[in-house]
Amino acid sequence: MKSTKIITLKLTYQSILMVIFMFLIISLVIFSKMSISSLKMNNSIGILSGEKLFLQFFKSENHTFFPEMDKSVITFSKMTNLAFQIGTTIKPTDARTFLGNEIPGLGAYDTEIVIAGEGTNITNLPSESAPPNEVLQNARKASEDSLKQNQTTNNNKPVTNPEHKTVFIYHTHSWESYLPLLKDATNPNDAISSDERANVIGLGDRLATNLMRKGIGVDHDKTNMTQELLKKGWQSTQAYTESRQIVEAAATQDKELKYFIDIHRDSARKQLTTKTINGVNYARLYFVVGRENKNYLDNLEVAKALNNELEKKYPGVSRGVFLKTYKEGNGVYNQDISSKAMLIEIGGVDNNLNELDNTIDVFSDILADYYWKANDAKAVNGNG
């Protein structure tokens, strides 16, 4: 009689597990039928990633690999919790999932914070908002006085660009500029210019020069994106379509290009985008990684490594590392082109040239160190 009860209990337990497993499979199939990618689903509700889901199954069946687990503890609760999250799109530990579909605009806060820099939280997450074309057509002129007053030295010695180019710098939003560098500009929406001295192309110039001085070959694209978009009758929201053509052409033409760096400017104000260290002001930066591309894990590791080095040497200069899906922006950012592609937002609308140059200089040092260490590692492994 007792053995019969034990068998019944085992069968019941196995049946429950089978039902849960089938529920998981059906849920995933339903979501796929609705054309919602697993990547977008993971991000929007903040649940376990595909890798972590696999790990949970692996742990439950292979306790030898995970000695910290109590073998007597059944993973039933973990599986039901996962099933609940998938079935309801609610994660009990994340308040955003309770309200995300009910409050208009709350979806903008779905950006995943991988590494939170000083002061970073869900109330000041970076957001993308391309200006309408009529705003782009009214680009501001540079302020000559401000450029002269704020100009920092960058060693006037001639620079030789190494023959082999491995770094490609470009600007999807080349119009992004800074109020202190523009004439009669006071409103954040006025921070738009085609003058390379006052927009992000100027930052790319300084970064390229710094890297060349450290023996790294650079190809810097200075396409006027405003001009190209207007010529084709495209909206500013199509800028990544244009920049993708540029990046793909460069990657096809020169197979040695490995590092693809897209430099942007954030729309936040000075209090959030400026850091003072030992009396020196820096324009804060942050890294954006597109979750919707095949290289996102590799690109994320590069961003995390660079961010960690910045934090060690210049604590607070970085606002962190963020993951974005299609829901929060482009989602790819041309980062499927290379496993060492990155999008960097440098400063905000209120930062001046001194602050921007200071940040470019320290980032150049961090990137060059990372670059040469990576190349030394390849040489040691016989791949250099």
Side-chain angles (χ1 to χ4, degrees):
M1 186 71 176
K2 187 176 181 180
S3 60
T4 303
K5 288 184 177 180
I6 293 175
I7 294 173
T8 302
L9 285 174
K10 286 184 177 181
L11 289 174
T12 302
Y13 169 68
Q14 291 175 355
S15 298
I16 291 173
L17 285 181
M18 181 62 69
V19 169
I20 293 172
F21 180 75
M22 291 300 297
F23 177 76
L24 288 173
I25 298 298
I26 293 171
S27 297
L28 291 174
V29 170
I30 291 174
F31 275 116
S32 64
K33 292 291 184 181
M34 295 171 63
S35 299
I36 300 177
S37 71
S38 61
L39 296 179
K40 296 178 76 173
M41 180 176 67
N42 283 349
N43 182 273
S44 63
I45 65 175
I47 64 172
L48 295 172
S49 66
E51 296 88 349
K52 291 182 180 178
L53 176 60
F54 171 78
L55 189 60
Q56 290 300 318
F57 284 113
F58 190 72
K59 279 184 177 181
S60 66
E61 299 299 329
N62 297 273
H63 301 298
T64 303
F65 291 93
F66 302 93
E68 76 280 1
M69 292 181 64
D70 185 349
K71 294 183 180 181
S72 65
V73 177
I74 301 174
T75 58
F76 177 79
S77 61
K78 292 183 179 179
M79 297 299 294
T80 54
N81 182 48
L82 180 60
F84 175 78
Q85 292 182 36
I86 292 177
T88 64
T89 72
I90 291 176
K91 184 178 180 181
T93 58
D94 190 342
R96 291 175 295 178
T97 61
F98 288 92
L99 305 173
N101 295 324
E102 306 300 329
I103 300 179
L106 191 62
Y109 296 95
D110 279 347
T111 296
E112 182 179 343
I113 305 174
V114 180
I115 298 178
E118 181 182 296
T120 296
N121 54 57
I122 63 171
T123 67
N124 52 34
L125 290 173
S127 60
E128 296 179 41
S129 56
N133 281 16
E134 54 267 26
V135 175
L136 292 182
Q137 291 174 329
N138 295 318
R140 296 280 175 160
K141 292 183 178 180
S143 170
E144 300 299 334
D145 291 338
S146 295
L147 289 174
K148 289 178 182 177
Q149 291 173 6
N150 289 290
Q151 191 170 15
T152 57
T153 59
N154 193 25
N155 192 341
N156 293 322
K157 293 181 180 179
V159 180
T160 301
N161 197 356
E163 180 182 354
H164 299 287
K165 313 295 188 299
T166 52
V167 175
F168 186 78
I169 300 173
Y170 67 105
H171 312 275
T172 298
H173 297 160
S174 67
W175 57 77
E176 292 177 334
S177 186
Y178 304 86
L179 294 176
L181 308 183
L182 302 174
K183 187 176 181 179
D184 302 324
T186 56
N187 189 296
N189 293 331
D190 295 334
I192 290 174
S193 178
S194 293
D195 193 314
E196 295 178 3
R197 300 170 301 166
N199 62 28
V200 289
I201 293 179
L203 304 187
D205 259 340
R206 191 175 183 93
L207 176 60
T209 299
N210 288 345
L211 293 178
M212 284 185 266
R213 286 204 172 99
K214 296 176 183 295
I216 301 172
V218 181
D219 184 359
H220 183 197
D221 181 81
K222 301 181 182 182
T223 299
N224 184 325
M225 296 296 286
T226 300
Q227 191 177 73
E228 292 303 312
L229 291 177
L230 295 178
K231 186 190 304 181
K232 294 180 178 180
W234 289 1
Q235 298 298 312
S236 57
T237 52
Q238 295 173 279
Y240 280 102
T241 302
E242 179 66 24
S243 68
R244 183 170 189 82
Q245 295 176 8
I246 294 171
V247 173
E248 285 183 332
T252 301
Q253 185 175 352
D254 190 347
K255 300 296 184 182
E256 292 191 78
L257 291 173
K258 302 299 180 186
Y259 293 79
F260 292 81
I261 307 174
D262 192 4
I263 299 179
H264 290 249
R265 180 264 299 151
D266 191 58
S267 58
R269 305 310 296 264
K270 193 174 182 70
Q271 184 177 2
L272 181 62
T273 65
T274 310
K275 176 66 179 179
T276 302
I277 301 176
N278 298 326
V280 179
N281 289 338
Y282 298 88
R284 301 183 72 190
L285 59 76
Y286 62 85
F287 300 86
V288 174
V289 177
R291 181 70 170 77
E292 310 281 2
N293 80 86
K294 62 183 180 181
N295 295 317
Y296 95 91
L297 286 175
D298 292 328
N299 291 327
L300 181 58
E301 287 307 309
V302 173
K304 288 164 65 175
L306 294 173
N307 185 84
N308 290 341
E309 288 305 308
L310 275 170
E311 191 61 24
K312 287 179 186 177
K313 298 181 180 179
Y314 304 93
V317 166
S318 175
R319 289 170 58 192
V321 179
F322 304 88
L323 268 177
K324 288 192 174 188
T325 67
Y326 289 127
K327 188 175 180 181
E328 295 88 51
N330 176 266
V332 177
Y333 305 108
N334 303 318
Q335 292 171 2
D336 55 330
I337 300 293
S338 170
S339 59
K340 291 181 173 62
M342 63 190 83
L343 188 158
I344 310 173
E345 300 263 359
I346 301 178
V349 292
D350 299 314
N351 287 110
N352 62 43
L353 193 56
N354 285 332
E355 296 161 347
L356 295 164
D357 285 348
N358 289 338
T359 298
I360 287 293
D361 291 346
V362 300
F363 177 70
S364 300
D365 292 339
I366 297 295
L367 179 59
D369 287 345
Y370 177 87
Y371 175 92
W372 288 118
K373 285 178 182 178
N375 276 268
D376 289 343
K378 284 184 179 180
V380 170
N381 293 327
N383 297 320

